[in-house]
Amino acid sequence: MTLELSHLSRRFTDFAALDDVSLSIAPGEFLALLGPSGSGKTTLLRILAGLDYPDAGSVHLDGHNFLVAQARERKIGLVFQHYALFRHLTVAENVAFGLRVRKRKLRPSKAAITERVNQLLKRVQLDGYGHRYPTQLSGGQRQRVALARALAVEPDLLLLDEPFGALDAQVRLTLRRWLRELHEDLKLTTIFVTHDQEEALELADRIAVMNRGRIEQVGTPEAIYQQPATPFVCEFIGKVNKLPVTCTDGKLAAGEWVLDSDPWHGRHAHATAYVRPEHLALGVPANQPAWIAHLRHIYLAGSVVHLELYVPAIDQTLEADIAGEDVARLGLQTGVDLRVAPRSAVVFAIDKPGDDATVQDRWMWQAQSTIFA
Amino acid sequence: MRRRILPGFGLSLGYALAYLGLIVLLPLAALAWKASGIGLHGLIRLLSSPRTFAALKLSFVGATFAAVVNAVVGLLVAWVLVRYRFPGRRFLDALVDLPFALPTAVAGIALTALYAPNGWLGQWLVPHGIQIAYAPPGVILAMVFVGFPFVVRTLQPVLESLDRDVEEAAESLGASHLQTFFRVILPMLFPTLLTGFALALARAVGEYGSVIFIAGNIPMRSEIAPLLIVEKLEEFNYAGAAALGMVMLIASFVLLIIISLLQRWSRRWAEQTR
Amino acid sequence: MTASLTTAASTTAAATSLQKRQPHWPRKIGRALLILVAVSFLAVFLVLPLSVVFVEAFRQGMHAYLSSIKQPEALSAIRLTLLVAVIAVPLNVVFGVAAAWAMARFEFRGKALLGAFIDLPFSISPVISGLVYVLLFGAQGWFGPWLDAHNVKIIFAVPGLVLATIFITLPFVARELIPLMQAQGSDEEEAARVLGAGGWQMFFRVTLPNIRWALLYGVLLSNARAMGEFGAVSVVSGHIRGLTTTMPLEVEMRYNEYDYVGAFAIASLLALLALLTLAIKTLLEWHYGDEIAAHAPGGH
């Protein structure tokens, strides 16, 4: 059941929705296609569902050409973004639809269909709702009906288009956990499209980050978060401080923060460093390179505290996240000056300052010293 | 590689095109072909005949007049039906479509029974010198009747969705109700009003059934162009009938194109001032 | 203390809202005047002609009314009218659904042009709609000599009446369905496909149920027009009593023969049909407004 996507391209009249996309999906995997709107993730999903076709490239399922099959022959469960429930059919009839339209030879008996529908409605926690119409359900309930309908045909592959996009925050969180449990039960290969990084990080086994029709990075949520492959992934996933860096005389420098090594041996003059807020160390000892930063604001956000630090040397405001108890331990209050330095950073060499399009090389930098707070 | 996801494109489009071709386009081609048979000379002779000219004039000028009346009255009725609540409103609202649902021949004899010199209203109007039936006003009356629903029904949804904020803003700036109407509401409604006007006009120009009973069909006075076509057909003058039909078709298309240009212009103007 | 405060506050609130709601008296008069003008216009312009039909039909009493309806010519006109509608309306339903499916579900070149052609019969005089068939199938028409040689009659016969009626009512169903199907989008049909439905299964189980009320609405309007059409059928009919006269044509013939009671008797049946149409139309709009939706009734 390995799904092999290779070199898929899809052009619409004025832009490339997919540009040479290759991806391999393992059996039972829970994969997220994550990206901003217009990044091509929905086009990719629709191609897998048979609702769109690529201009070039191929999709193979265990070595068989997947694209020659029509949508109805692919054994796919698809949950539409706005659910696309049949509005004139009851919940039970919606779920039974995929079984009832089968050829007589393959169609289960009436009793078997009823049995299966009831079983599925129980599974999605909607037993007793079979006689209602879609308009009589809440958004979360409709979502689960759509899922039950997709599962009824016992698909080989489950596709979800922005599964939680139309729901409010509370319902979204509950449904997310529930979907994860469902996947652990069924072990069904599942691909879902989302623009919400939190959703992707929490749910998926692997994430494919998409941008402008290309896959920027594929990896586990940890890898995506800790070792972003491109500046786009750095900026799209989580919060990040972006710093211009100069590379001269075998040193990398951004203001007072200087590293005594140049991974590129003078091949590049400029770079951009990305530093996550939780990777900024405060109160760095004087023997370590660090910025003198002015603490402008302290935002309490539950267990975490956000700090806004102004660094005059590079004329930039940095964001730092620290644990709530550290505020008192470090004696932090608005207006104090602090020595601040990154604990780790991802540095991309670029041709011109401020130009992300000319990214050359990536360097994952980690502080050697353990003296940081 | 296949591109159409949903089935039936070839079947549905093919069937629609074939049907449309047989029912509409082929007959219209026959009209154009037959009409061209009379030649330029024939056309000039046809149009310079005073009777033909008078009939065309009555059809087009009368229809324009009727459409103007419909625009004014239709705006009033649509406004009252949308903005005010009064007993019987829903009944009247449903009744607006009557001229559309009522067969034109029925409308024709009913209007004649009302406005003929011995009719219900005619017996009071004619002694005061107001002759409607068997005269041009009767033609226009019938044209107003058949075109009436168009303006009301086009305006209603737009009036309903009209932003009340804008009116309230105008009034809070000190505009009087009349000023608000003429300076704020009417400009916003104008493109829609033109649509309704065009629909009513197109209907009135070609109208036959309701007009011929009340018109009296006096040559040079109350004879409409479609009737002249019928008369030519009855004389087996197919080429003449076709030519006159073609002239009417072209004239009404030119009229409709002018209106749609006017509409585009007024819409753009309305958007620019926003 | 608290209670009196609340009362005071609510009184003030009521006073303000009263002030706000109650228009000044000139405005009230203006409103009453507008309503009065609109209502009297509708009464004189719509209700009066409708009443005149029934009053004139019964002018000589029930007996005269019934006997003029029971005349064989009247009965054959009723039969012919029903026959024409029964053929023309279903044909246009099939066309309308096909055209709407193509136009609302696919992108193709010339789509706008196709839409314009579908609308064409609305902007053509009924007389011309009849005329074009005479030019095609009449004695001097394109196919006239051939038809004559094979002894097929279209003009001055039932096929001509049907053709002219199809032409006149062609746009109704398509015009009703296209905007609705465009607004509904194709998600449900795509879902049906992914769930394994075949083309016709998708059509009968998903598409058709979703457009059923709009379809009924379109049928209702086409039917009213088909049964009431006068100009177009008048041109192709030849007015052969008992053979090619539909009800509206029978009205005309009786009227021209000064048989006013007879003319209005048939007219009253047509007026009843119109009222029935309006009633069903209004009911459909009240109950299924959303499912008919997206249509501007002015576009007829």
Side-chain angles (χ1 to χ4, degrees):
Chain A
M1 270 309 297
T2 305
L3 198 60
E4 197 69 49
L5 287 59
S6 43
H7 306 294
L8 289 176
S9 292
R10 175 77 169 99
R11 276 203 71 82
F12 292 115
T13 33
D14 47 351
F15 74 108
L18 289 180
D19 183 5
D20 195 28
V21 165
S22 297
L23 185 63
S24 171
I25 298 149
E29 198 172 10
F30 200 170
L31 179 94
L33 295 173
L34 173 65
S37 60
S39 59
K41 54 194 195 306
T42 297
T43 306
L44 189 55
L45 196 79
R46 287 178 66 85
I47 285 175
L48 291 179
L51 296 177
D52 201 347
Y53 289 87
D55 300 314
S58 66
V59 179
H60 283 91
L61 183 71
D62 290 336
H64 298 289
N65 187 349
F66 197 57
L67 293 179
V68 291
Q70 284 191 24
R72 57 184 299 224
E73 301 156 353
R74 289 193 188 181
K75 293 205 72 183
I76 271 179
L78 172 62
V79 176
F80 287 72
Q81 184 175 1
H82 301 289
Y83 321 133
L85 295 178
F86 305 125
R87 63 197 100 179
H88 63 286
L89 299 180
T90 63
V91 167
E93 287 167 336
N94 261 283
V95 177
F97 187 92
L99 301 173
R100 288 194 179 150
V101 296
R102 282 190 186 166
K103 289 203 181 73
R104 190 154 300 165
K105 269 187 294 179
L106 303 170
R107 194 188 308 156
S109 70
K110 269 196 179 139
I113 292 180
T114 314
E115 166 76 30
R116 174 126 185 85
V117 168
N118 286 336
Q119 192 190 326
L120 277 161
L121 286 180
K122 196 165 287 173
R123 159 121 255 166
V124 298
Q125 299 162 4
L126 282 173
D127 32 347
Y129 284 81
H131 293 291
R132 300 217 186 165
Y133 282 90
T135 45
Q136 298 166 310
L137 301 180
S138 71
Q141 290 170 333
R142 282 182 213 181
Q143 218 267 355
R144 282 179 280 152
V145 175
L147 196 65
R149 185 177 72 176
L151 292 174
V153 294
E154 297 178 305
D156 296 335
L157 179 62
L158 183 62
L159 305 173
L160 304 121
D161 190 1
E162 297 276 4
F164 312 111
L167 302 173
D168 49 44
Q170 201 62 44
V171 183
R172 194 182 290 206
L173 217 61
T174 325
L175 267 181
R176 226 191 256 170
R177 303 269 153 81
W178 176 81
L179 187 64
R180 180 74 231 183
E181 281 163 25
L182 190 80
H183 178 256
E184 272 153 22
D185 276 7
L186 297 174
K187 301 272 181 267
L188 185 61
T189 313
T190 305
I191 303 175
F192 74 103
V193 154
T194 182
H195 64 271
D196 182 345
Q197 38 143 331
E198 213 180 294
E199 207 166 281
L201 291 171
E202 187 181 318
L203 274 175
D205 298 330
R206 266 198 322 156
I207 299 174
V209 182
M210 296 191 67
N211 180 37
R212 294 185 190 173
R214 290 175 158 273
I215 291 184
E216 298 260 338
Q217 185 176 8
V218 188
T220 60
E222 295 73 33
I224 298 274
Y225 190 80
Q226 303 295 353
Q227 296 144 33
T230 66
F232 174 80
V233 177
C234 281
E235 291 182 44
F236 191 70
I237 310 280
K239 281 193 292 183
V240 74
N241 293 299
K242 185 179 175 184
L243 305 157
V245 174
T246 54
C247 319
T248 40
D249 307 328
K251 286 179 182 178
L252 261 57
E256 300 128 315
W257 183 59
V258 181
L259 300 178
D260 285 328
S261 64
D262 175 3
W264 303 299
H265 309 294
R267 268 181 290 125
H268 304 294
H270 300 283
T272 308
Y274 291 91
V275 181
R276 297 222 180 268
E278 70 269 27
H279 293 159
L280 270 181
L282 311 177
V284 177
N287 62 346
Q288 297 289 331
W291 297 296
I292 308 294
H294 187 69
L295 180 55
R296 276 192 171 164
H297 287 292
I298 302 177
Y299 301 100
L300 278 164
S303 55
V304 180
V305 175
H306 304 298
L307 306 178
E308 202 179 289
L309 300 155
Y310 177 68
V311 181
I314 52 174
D315 187 25
Q316 235 183 304
T317 304
L318 302 180
E319 270 187 69
D321 287 355
I322 58 168
E325 63 252 33
D326 289 347
V327 177
R329 193 169 60 79
L330 296 168
L332 296 181
Q333 60 189 72
T334 312
V336 300
D337 284 336
L338 291 166
R339 285 177 56 79
V340 176
R343 228 179 272 127
S344 70
V346 187
V347 191
F348 292 96
I350 54 176
D351 283 352
K352 282 183 293 190
D355 189 358
D356 287 344
T358 57
V359 170
Q360 305 285 344
D361 274 310
R362 181 182 71 155
W363 184 41
M364 306 285 302
W365 174 80
Q366 197 85 43
Q368 300 299 313
S369 168
T370 50
I371 351 170
F372 295 105
Chain B
M1 226 168 260
R2 350 175 356 112
R3 262 295 141 69
R4 313 250 179 229
I5 303 312
L6 293 173
F9 175 66
L11 180 68
S12 60
L13 185 65
Y15 181 77
L17 286 178
Y19 190 88
L20 205 60
L22 283 176
I23 297 291
V24 178
L25 299 184
L26 178 72
L28 284 179
L31 175 75
W33 176 76
K34 247 316 190 242
S36 68
I38 68 163
L40 194 63
H41 249 354
L43 184 69
I44 292 168
R45 214 176 40 224
L46 178 79
L47 290 181
S48 59
S49 136
R51 192 173 159 193
T52 314
F53 185 77
L56 280 171
K57 193 174 130 193
L58 179 62
S59 275
F60 281 92
V61 175
T64 309
F65 195 77
V68 170
V69 172
N70 267 331
V72 175
V73 180
L75 177 59
L76 173 76
V77 170
W79 179 269
V80 168
L81 287 177
V82 169
R83 284 300 170 89
Y84 304 142
R85 295 289 171 269
F86 53 93
R89 186 185 66 93
R90 291 183 106 178
F91 170 75
L92 287 179
D93 190 24
L95 205 66
V96 166
D97 281 322
L98 182 76
F100 168 70
L102 194 70
T104 51
V106 179
I109 62 169
L111 290 175
T112 314
L114 284 179
Y115 295 98
N118 58 351
W120 290 19
L121 300 174
Q123 56 181 319
W124 307 106
L125 296 172
V126 173
H128 292 88
I130 305 171
Q131 171 138 20
I132 291 177
Y134 313 137
V139 174
I140 290 166
L141 182 81
M143 286 173 166
V144 172
F145 184 85
V146 294
F148 179 68
F150 292 92
V151 174
V152 180
R153 290 299 186 229
T154 325
L155 278 175
Q156 262 177 333
V158 180
L159 261 176
E160 265 158 23
S161 65
L162 209 61
D163 217 347
R164 286 296 253 281
D165 292 358
V166 185
E167 280 166 62
E168 282 167 6
E171 282 176 25
S172 75
L173 292 169
S176 75
H177 299 310
L178 279 181
Q179 278 175 322
T180 309
F181 181 81
F182 283 104
R183 290 177 175 235
V184 179
I185 298 169
L186 200 57
M188 288 201 285
L189 287 179
F190 195 70
T192 318
L193 197 59
L194 267 180
T195 308
F197 175 83
L199 289 168
L201 177 70
R203 180 70 203 260
V205 164
E207 181 52 25
Y208 177 69
S210 57
V211 175
I212 56 161
F213 294 98
I214 199 170
N217 308 323
I218 308 151
M220 306 291 299
R221 187 166 139 76
S222 62
E223 189 178 51
I224 53 167
L227 182 70
L228 220 54
I229 294 178
V230 172
E231 279 169 14
K232 286 193 190 303
L233 263 184
E234 280 167 359
E235 295 157 6
F236 297 101
N237 179 2
Y238 281 20
L244 191 54
M246 205 63 204
V247 167
M248 278 196 72
L249 262 188
I250 291 170
S252 35
F253 283 143
V254 168
L255 215 55
L256 290 180
I257 288 168
I258 291 173
I259 293 172
S260 83
L261 289 177
L262 208 61
Q263 198 175 14
R264 197 172 296 177
W265 171 80
S266 71
R267 188 162 286 155
R268 196 170 302 157
W269 183 81
E271 271 162 20
Q272 268 174 6
T273 51
R274 209 164 278 173
Chain C
M1 182 63 198
T2 329
S4 68
L5 254 180
T6 329
T7 328
S10 64
T11 322
T12 337
T16 4
S17 80
L18 252 176
Q19 257 176 2
K20 244 180 140 178
R21 285 237 186 105
Q22 211 136 64
H24 299 304
W25 66 266
R27 195 174 196 192
K28 256 166 109 181
I29 287 182
R31 168 181 298 194
L33 210 65
L34 283 181
I35 295 177
L36 191 71
V37 171
V39 170
S40 15
F41 176 80
L42 291 175
V44 173
F45 201 64
L46 300 179
V47 180
L48 206 56
L50 192 62
S51 335
V52 100
V53 173
F54 292 100
V55 173
E56 293 291 329
F58 287 102
R59 182 160 288 256
Q60 286 166 24
M62 195 68 184
H63 184 74
Y65 176 81
L66 285 178
S67 72
S68 73
I69 285 179
K70 279 193 208 140
Q71 281 169 18
E73 299 88 30
L75 292 177
S76 78
I78 294 171
R79 263 197 305 274
L80 183 60
T81 301
L82 292 175
L83 177 71
V84 167
V86 158
I87 301 171
V89 173
L91 282 174
N92 279 340
V93 165
V94 176
F95 164 75
V97 172
W101 179 255
M103 299 246 320
R105 291 290 176 265
F106 302 99
E107 291 305 321
F108 52 92
R109 223 183 285 175
K111 194 158 134 176
L113 194 67
L114 178 61
F117 278 130
I118 292 176
D119 279 342
L120 206 55
F122 277 155
S123 45
I124 289 180
S125 170
V127 167
I128 297 176
S129 314
L131 169 70
V132 291
Y133 288 105
V134 175
L135 298 177
L136 212 52
F137 302 118
Q140 299 172 42
W142 273 1
F143 303 119
W146 187 88
L147 291 171
D148 214 27
H150 292 78
N151 210 13
V152 180
K153 269 193 92 61
I154 290 183
I155 297 306
F156 305 150
V158 176
L161 296 175
V162 173
L163 280 172
T165 307
I166 290 177
F167 185 102
I168 288 286
T169 57
L170 180 130
F172 285 98
V173 173
R175 269 296 124 202
E176 216 50 62
L177 294 184
I178 291 167
L180 176 74
M181 287 175 68
Q182 272 168 345
Q184 281 179 345
S186 54
D187 269 12
E188 286 185 43
E189 278 125 1
E190 288 179 355
R193 290 298 273 176
V194 174
L195 288 168
W200 292 112
Q201 280 179 321
M202 174 208 69
F203 177 73
F204 285 109
R205 285 167 184 256
V206 177
T207 309
L208 208 53
N210 275 340
I211 59 172
R212 59 191 161 180
W213 296 116
L215 195 61
L216 184 60
Y217 194 86
V219 166
L220 189 73
L221 301 182
S222 325
N223 182 65
R225 187 69 199 263
M227 290 191 173
E229 179 49 33
F230 177 75
V233 293
S234 160
V235 172
V236 295
S237 138
H239 296 80
I240 308 163
R241 264 261 162 95
L243 284 179
T244 64
T245 43
T246 59
M247 289 164 78
L249 296 176
E250 183 69 22
V251 169
E252 183 204 17
M253 290 175 80
R254 291 182 174 200
Y255 189 85
N256 288 345
E257 290 160 1
Y258 305 103
D259 174 11
Y260 291 139
V261 168
F264 278 104
I266 305 284
S268 74
L269 294 180
L270 289 169
L272 276 179
L273 171 74
L275 288 176
L276 189 68
T277 303
L278 285 188
I280 300 175
K281 177 174 173 291
T282 310
L283 280 179
L284 279 177
E285 279 165 4
W286 285 357
H287 286 277
Y288 305 104
D290 295 342
E291 291 173 66
I292 299 167
H295 75 279
H300 304 136

